[in-house]
Amino acid sequence: MGRLKVLLFLFITGVIIVGCNSQSKSDNYETVTFNGLKFSIPKEWTQTPIENSKDQISYKLDFGKDKYGFFYIYSYPYPRNVYKSKFIDWEKNTYKGIFALSEETKLNKNMTVLTYKTNFNALKNAQLPDQVVQIIVIDDLDRVLEVSIDIPRDYYEQNSSILKHIQDSLTISK
């Protein structure tokens, strides 16, 4: 009987420890919904909203030491064959004219991740920050959504698990 109590105590302690550890990880993220899109991003990213409207949601990200970033979503209320991004030049494979496409990955049939990195040759005599822009283009039949993450390159390289978490958390509903 004494062994059973010890085993029961150890089992309960293990369940509590595992439950607390998994909870603390999810406590670092906040679930955001926008135009039928649901995803979770780090809580600190939601602290400085820039604009929230029916067609756009955006946050300014502060990485300290004069490093900045942005998280935003644009909603285009028309199908992919009519869709034209505000910032992506599909023919030149650039974003805002200063970021060059470095990688394109299909997440599923209607989600594509485009990764752009600063093209230091784009503007002569300009001091450009070393940024990475990752855009998830979501083609949802009658609309297109762009989920954009504009972050310093070192943050991008050191925090790939955060970006993967965001990608994995994306769900679409009508």
Side-chain angles (χ1 to χ4, degrees), residues 79-80 110-111 137-145 172:
R80 177 67 183 234
N110 65 341
M111 286 188 201
V137 178
I138 302 165
D139 182 5
D140 189 31
L141 299 176
D142 58 348
R143 66 189 172 153
V144 174
L145 299 164
I172 303 171

Side-chain angles (χ1 to χ4, degrees), residues 109-125:
K109 69 178 185 159
N110 65 341
M111 286 188 201
T112 304
V113 178
L114 305 168
T115 303
Y116 296 87
K117 296 182 179 174
T118 302
N119 179 2
F120 292 102
N121 298 320
L123 299 174
K124 304 285 188 235
N125 301 324

Side-chain angles (χ1 to χ4, degrees), residues 87-104 114-117 119:
F87 304 111
I88 298 172
D89 184 329
W90 299 101
E91 293 173 7
K92 295 180 181 176
N93 286 329
T94 60
Y95 178 77
K96 293 186 177 180
I98 60 170
F99 298 96
L101 182 66
S102 68
E103 187 178 344
E104 182 173 338
L114 305 168
T115 303
Y116 296 87
K117 296 182 179 174
N119 179 2

Side-chain angles (χ1 to χ4, degrees), residues 1 5 25 29 36 42 59 62 65 88 91 119 137 145 159:
M1 189 65 155
K5 286 182 181 180
K25 188 173 187 176
Y29 290 90
Y59 300 101
D62 183 6
K65 297 180 186 173
I88 298 172
E91 293 173 7
N119 179 2
V137 178
L145 299 164
N159 294 283

